Amino acid sequence: MPDYNTMELMICTAARELEDGATVGVGTGAPCAAAMLAQKVHSPNLLIMFEAGGVAPLIPEMPISVGDSRTTFKAVMASGMCEIMETACRGMLDYTFLGGAQIDMYGNLNSTRVGDDHQKPKVRFPGSGGANDFASFCWRMMVMTPQDSKRFVEKVSYCTSPGWLQGGDSRAKSGLPLEAGPYKIITNMAVMDFEEKSKRMRVIALNPGYSIKDVQDNCGFELLKADKIVENHPPTAEELHILRDVIDPYRYVIGR
Amino acid sequence: MEGIKQLKEVQTVDVIEQGVGEVFTDPDADKARAFFRTKSRKMEDKVMSVKEAVEKYIHDGDYLTIGGFGANRVPIAVCHEILRQGRKNLGFSGHTSTHDFQILCAGEVFDRCDVAYIVGLEARGLSPNARKYMETGKVKVTEWSNYAMSVRYKAAAAGVSFYPARNLMGTDTVKYSAGKIIECPFTKTKYVALPALYSDVAAIHVHEADKYGNCRVRGITVSDFDVARSTKRLIVTCERLISTDEIRRDPSHTVIPFWCVDAVCEVPYGSYPGNMLGEYFSDEEHLKEWMKVEKDPEAFKAFLDKNIYSCKNHFEYIAKNGGMEKMQLLRQKEMMFVGARK
């Protein structure tokens, strides 16, 4: 079994979710690495879009900004924010990867603030950026994040980007496009999906070396467990080679 | 009116929910029309220095929008000049703003902000000083998303007072926005109504412009198409001035037409230390230095004096940071991404 770190494991797991011919809206860092890896291993026709306007680039190396020159390298179109988000709202963007300082059991994300006073927050984060938009519009939203009870909280102190909101049919009632929402949460310990009725986070796969207790101990709310929890495949030698030697040779992302 | 069924009672759109945020700019379309009626349509020479443009078109208290995407195709010379001239109490569009936001926070030039993306510099991390400024309570904040801001410019560019969208709903982002949730009169679908954003003034950096302000942009336009059309006054900085004959030779490249533009300033390397597609890559070392020096208030003050306050113009700033030699390196780096060199 090849040696790998948790970032490499999460990126490889995420990449496998992106099938050929699908569309994905990505940001910088791990999401972009996952999309590039998918493109080079099993989904040559994966169509990558960046919120700033880059459509279907053949990314030469990791961008540092979702609007830098690499996001339109050999692209089919250099457009703008409205083009990308309107395409997503029209229902043509399948996947997106998002992150945040906090996530709750319904997949709601906080990337705005800590503290209750909105005008004078204890800690100010960037805010939504394009995250609320992608979370609202993309059919399947995924998150890659370390499993940590400070991150996986009972209630996000501020809901920047929508998950399944309060669970059940609350998202459908909110006015957000129907049937779109959180799909999978990929951590260093496990993969979670969302139970169909309650829309609560549910463990479906464990990474090699971790138990269900490890996952629960590092989560601030009670996780549901699938009837059959499978073991997640570790990264293959091919995946690791492409990730390390082609996509991120300077280890900007996988070195974290 | 024949053919139109008159409803018995006048129906108004019910607001189902609304955010607690303040609308910092007037979305009234007729007031905006009254302004645009007075805006010059003359094809006249608008070339001037950045100093003159900021003196003439950016006033204390104005609501400002910066084009581009944070550290990509941003009018850095205008941002620096705003600090040098000591503008205060501006309103600011925090739409995909990163290094531009960092500069404006360093000068504490704004006291109200529409937020979509602020404080961070994407994969480079968070700006310690911008974060500190936003945590002081000195800045009034209304929350949005990047697309919500794009839609707000778009509504203004279209000359209407709002556009509907399907994002934000169900979250705290809508709660702290100034959006209002309404029902579609045709389908009963819920939408968030986003108020048009007519900026007082905007600055956009482009690749090429003629002296009248006809502009060409290579690569992504982000939201600049609508920013240019929705703002009352527009300062354009360009890498190169080109002839109007060239503009007329192929009008399909014109992204911003002259009548939107009030000032044209030729600023080569005008997006430095940011990226400019096909011209030069970002100076990551210098951006790292910014982030690092911000942690020490004394050192940061000296850094700002050196790089902004004591500089006459953008050339002087560049000269202090490696000059033409550095620019050549950044050009060579950029060429890798446009495929000009293999």
Side-chain angles (χ1 to χ4, degrees):
Chain A
M1 195 173 79
D3 251 355
Y4 53 87
N5 67 29
T6 54
M7 187 55 94
E8 291 168 336
L9 172 67
M10 288 196 285
I11 291 169
C12 292
T13 305
R16 292 176 200 148
E17 296 289 342
L18 303 170
E19 76 273 15
D20 201 25
T23 49
V24 59
V26 301
T28 52
C32 190
M36 288 165 74
L37 180 63
Q39 224 175 29
K40 289 184 192 336
V41 176
H42 54 83
S43 300
N45 303 302
L46 178 71
L47 199 154
I48 298 174
M49 292 194 202
F50 290 94
E51 62 172 79
V55 176
L58 304 176
I59 310 167
E61 60 175 62
M62 296 295 299
I64 198 158
S65 159
V66 295
D68 81 36
S69 296
R70 294 173 279 211
T71 65
T72 49
F73 184 76
K74 294 186 193 290
V76 301
M77 181 164 63
S79 66
M81 181 77 59
C82 280
E83 175 71 28
I84 301 301
M85 294 307 179
E86 286 164 1
T87 300
C89 191
R90 213 156 59 230
M92 289 200 70
L93 214 44
D94 298 315
Y95 297 99
T96 189
F97 289 102
L98 300 175
Q102 294 179 318
I103 181 168
D104 70 15
M105 68 172 84
Y106 302 113
N108 300 304
L109 291 164
N110 175 16
S111 59
T112 300
R113 66 158 151 90
V114 174
D116 295 327
D117 185 349
H118 194 68
Q119 301 300 331
K120 199 180 172 185
K122 215 157 87 194
V123 185
R124 177 71 217 199
F125 298 119
S128 160
N132 179 291
D133 313 321
F134 276 147
S136 297
F137 302 150
C138 293
W139 290 108
R140 291 172 161 184
M141 182 265 272
M142 293 192 274
V143 174
M144 260 184 277
T145 186
Q147 187 80 49
D148 172 356
S149 46
K150 284 198 198 98
R151 240 167 231 273
F152 286 75
V153 294
E154 182 91 42
K155 196 176 180 320
V156 286
S157 60
Y158 181 102
C159 174
T160 309
S161 303
W164 293 111
L165 299 179
Q166 292 81 42
D169 61 355
S170 59
R171 181 165 168 135
K173 283 185 176 158
S174 72
L176 293 173
L178 297 176
E179 289 175 42
Y183 175 59
K184 281 185 185 166
I185 309 298
I186 296 161
T187 77
N188 54 321
M189 298 184 187
V191 178
M192 276 85 76
D193 73 351
F194 294 84
E195 193 274 323
E196 220 165 289
K197 274 230 152 64
S198 68
K199 303 292 188 194
R200 274 179 58 186
M201 206 182 283
R202 174 174 72 179
V203 181
I204 55 168
L206 291 168
N207 289 336
Y210 291 104
S211 69
I212 188 82
K213 185 174 180 303
D214 293 330
V215 184
Q216 185 61 70
D217 286 351
N218 288 282
C219 183
F221 53 84
E222 197 198 332
L223 287 159
L224 301 178
K225 286 119 198 154
D227 293 339
K228 191 169 174 278
I229 295 175
V230 297
E231 176 150 310
N232 194 21
H233 302 291
T236 65
E238 189 204 5
E239 286 169 335
L240 287 175
H241 157 64
I242 293 173
L243 191 53
R244 291 170 180 172
D245 302 330
V246 181
I247 294 172
D248 191 17
Y250 305 108
R251 305 182 62 78
Y252 290 134
V253 178
I254 58 177
R256 277 190 199 172
Chain B
M1 273 187 291
E2 212 180 327
I4 292 181
K5 195 171 149 196
Q6 203 68 50
L7 293 171
K8 271 183 200 148
E9 291 167 37
V10 178
Q11 287 192 335
T12 53
V13 176
D14 289 326
V15 172
I16 300 164
E17 273 174 74
Q18 67 181 52
V20 298
E22 193 179 321
V23 190
F24 299 126
T25 47
D26 192 342
D28 190 301
D30 281 313
K31 284 187 196 155
R33 279 175 59 85
F35 171 83
F36 285 116
R37 186 176 199 175
T38 66
K39 186 162 171 134
S40 168
R41 292 97 159 116
K42 260 189 236 147
M43 249 186 145
E44 55 196 345
D45 189 341
K46 296 164 191 168
V47 176
M48 62 185 83
S49 69
V50 171
K51 184 166 176 282
E52 285 172 287
V54 172
E55 272 167 5
K56 210 165 164 190
Y57 295 112
I58 306 182
H59 321 299
D60 285 350
D62 277 352
Y63 186 96
L64 169 72
T65 297
I66 296 289
F69 195 89
N72 307 295
R73 202 170 48 68
V74 269
I76 296 298
V78 173
C79 295
H80 283 197
E81 189 58 32
I82 289 171
L83 263 60
R84 277 195 289 269
Q85 294 192 18
R87 288 292 171 280
K88 287 289 167 204
N89 308 320
L90 301 179
F92 185 65
S93 258
H95 167 263
T96 67
S97 53
T98 69
H99 185 54
D100 47 349
F101 191 78
Q102 191 177 20
I103 297 167
L104 297 174
C105 282
E108 302 199 356
V109 301
F110 61 88
D111 60 13
R112 57 203 188 281
C113 185
D114 282 309
V115 170
Y117 185 96
I118 58 166
V119 170
L121 278 89
E122 299 188 77
R124 303 173 188 98
L126 303 180
S127 151
N129 183 66
R131 188 165 165 178
K132 202 166 70 188
Y133 187 49
M134 295 309 291
E135 290 166 0
T136 57
K138 288 183 195 164
V139 183
K140 266 199 280 185
V141 160
T142 302
E143 215 72 30
W144 309 92
S145 68
N146 276 346
Y147 177 56
M149 291 297 283
S150 306
V151 169
R152 296 186 61 202
Y153 305 131
K154 197 177 196 173
V160 300
S161 56
F162 81 95
Y163 260 3
R166 298 194 77 184
N167 53 352
L168 307 191
M169 291 179 285
T171 64
D172 288 324
T173 305
V174 82
K175 185 175 159 195
Y176 289 95
S177 79
K180 293 176 192 275
I181 295 174
I182 56 171
E183 207 171 67
C184 168
F186 301 99
T187 63
K188 303 285 178 201
T189 307
K190 280 188 195 170
Y191 287 90
V192 59
L194 301 173
L197 201 171
Y198 296 96
S199 314
D200 292 315
V201 61
I204 297 177
H205 187 61
V206 302
H207 288 78
E208 295 171 334
D210 72 3
K211 64 182 176 183
Y212 306 120
N214 294 301
C215 302
R216 288 175 169 181
V217 172
R218 285 183 69 190
I220 54 171
T221 44
V222 196
S223 296
D224 290 352
F225 193 90
D226 295 314
V227 168
R229 286 153 179 81
S230 58
T231 185
K232 292 179 181 165
R233 302 185 295 273
L234 176 60
I235 298 170
V236 159
T237 61
C238 62
E239 289 289 322
R240 281 176 296 283
L241 275 170
I242 57 170
S243 70
T244 304
D245 280 351
E246 174 59 21
I247 293 281
R248 289 190 186 279
R249 187 187 61 79
D250 192 352
S252 58
H253 287 302
T254 307
V255 172
I256 302 168
F258 71 95
W259 65 77
C260 293
V261 179
D262 295 274
V264 180
C265 316
E266 190 176 34
V267 187
Y269 301 99
S271 181
Y272 175 84
N275 177 205
M276 189 73 181
L277 181 84
E279 304 279 345
Y280 44 91
F281 199 67
S282 47
D283 185 352
E284 291 303 320
E285 259 172 69
H286 185 59
L287 288 170
K288 227 176 253 167
E289 197 188 344
W290 258 91
M291 301 283 259
K292 199 171 152 227
V293 76
E294 282 189 1
K295 286 178 194 150
D296 176 353
E298 280 306 303
F300 188 40
K301 199 180 162 291
F303 177 87
L304 292 175
D305 280 339
K306 175 193 156 196
N307 286 296
I308 298 179
Y309 293 110
S310 72
C311 292
K312 195 170 75 212
N313 55 31
H314 201 59
F315 281 132
E316 211 175 312
Y317 171 51
I318 287 170
K320 284 177 181 173
N321 288 284
M324 282 311 289
E325 212 173 335
K326 173 63 97 29
M327 295 308 109
Q328 188 185 24
L329 284 175
L330 298 174
R331 290 191 84 84
Q332 286 170 354
K333 192 167 180 203
E334 176 66 12
M335 290 312 133
M336 286 165 50
F337 304 127
V338 292
R341 290 183 187 208
K342 287 275 177 216

